[in-house]
Amino acid sequence: MADGELQAMHAGGVRDVRFNFVKRLVDFTPKDELLEIAGRIAKLSWHVVIYFEAVDLPELWDFFIALPTTVVVDHMGRPDVTKPLDGPEFALFMREHPNVWSKVTCPERLSVAGSPALDGERNAYRDAVQFARSIIEAFPDRVLWGTNWPHFNLKGHMPDDGLLVDFIPHIAVTPVLRRKLLVDNPMRLYWPEVG
């Protein structure tokens, strides 16, 4: 893609690219190619969204923190919610790095408890709450939220977006944390010129 095309995308509101490392979804892309892309978008102050499975984080961490952009981790790094919150996989994800943000999204893809939040269930996705809450409380200035609509690649059920919104007060338990998650952080990342 030519620089002019990137500029046109920037003018149209694009602010990130996504690197997908989920092996069941994509073919391998050489890391030097991804570094070149990251270098080009860094000039526009875009960020890189990364998607991976938690078990692959040890082999990817050094690459992620070497990127010359802000890095936003999709879906909390897909933690295995059946494993302990203080276990080694999630501990690696929670390692401090000032350039790494997280989207506390997709509890419907992570949860293994009960029904898939259908038929009027309240307080859905309880087994994912502690993971999202831990991220928000540890990194309140580097978290984002979204519903992940239109929910691609889900085969079992279509999530109730209302229940995904109802998830928010369980993971961002104070008005200050909710404002950071829903207003302040997205504005700072996507529209810093407005602030």
Side-chain angles (χ1 to χ4, degrees):
M1 182 173 290
D3 288 343
E5 291 174 286
L6 286 175
Q7 287 290 348
M9 292 173 73
H10 185 81
V14 175
R15 294 297 181 265
D16 66 57
V17 297
R18 187 178 198 226
F19 294 169
N20 188 338
F21 295 93
V22 178
K23 295 170 185 166
R24 62 187 158 77
L25 298 177
V26 296
D27 293 328
F28 175 76
T29 302
K31 289 179 182 170
D32 58 336
E33 288 182 30
L34 298 176
L35 279 169
E36 179 187 347
I37 292 168
R40 292 181 68 203
I41 67 163
K43 297 172 189 170
L44 297 167
S45 297
W46 292 9
H47 59 276
V48 171
V49 176
I50 53 174
Y51 185 39
F52 60 91
E53 302 279 0
V55 297
D56 296 323
L57 183 56
E59 70 183 68
L60 296 170
W61 177 259
D62 289 339
F63 173 72
F64 293 161
I65 63 171
L67 292 170
T69 65
T70 295
V71 173
V72 178
V73 176
D74 241 348
H75 313 330
M76 300 182 270
R78 291 193 57 94
D80 181 341
V81 299
T82 66
K83 292 186 177 178
L85 187 65
D86 60 356
E89 280 183 6
F90 197 64
L92 176 58
F93 178 76
M94 293 292 288
R95 185 185 298 175
E96 173 67 30
H97 193 280
N99 217 30
V100 177
W101 293 47
S102 180
K103 291 182 185 178
V104 287
T105 54
C106 287
E108 74 279 8
R109 292 178 186 266
L110 305 174
S111 180
V112 295
S115 75
L118 300 174
D119 302 321
E121 180 183 347
R122 299 279 182 233
N123 302 321
Y125 315 123
R126 288 179 296 277
D127 51 350
V129 166
Q130 63 180 344
F131 291 88
R133 186 184 295 169
S134 294
I135 295 166
I136 290 169
E137 291 175 357
F139 312 111
D141 296 316
R142 290 183 276 135
V143 288
L144 304 166
W145 179 85
T147 65
N148 205 45
W149 180 88
H151 310 292
F152 291 109
N153 297 320
L154 280 180
K155 295 176 176 54
H157 77 288
M158 184 54 59
D160 178 336
D161 289 321
L163 287 174
L164 294 173
V165 171
D166 291 345
F167 186 66
I168 296 168
H170 297 282
I171 62 173
V173 298
T174 68
V176 169
L177 288 175
R178 286 190 289 276
R179 179 173 174 89
K180 286 175 182 264
L181 179 68
L182 301 172
V183 180
D184 297 341
N185 296 344
M187 289 301 294
R188 195 161 38 87
L189 184 65
Y190 291 98
W191 304 283
E193 68 279 2
V194 176

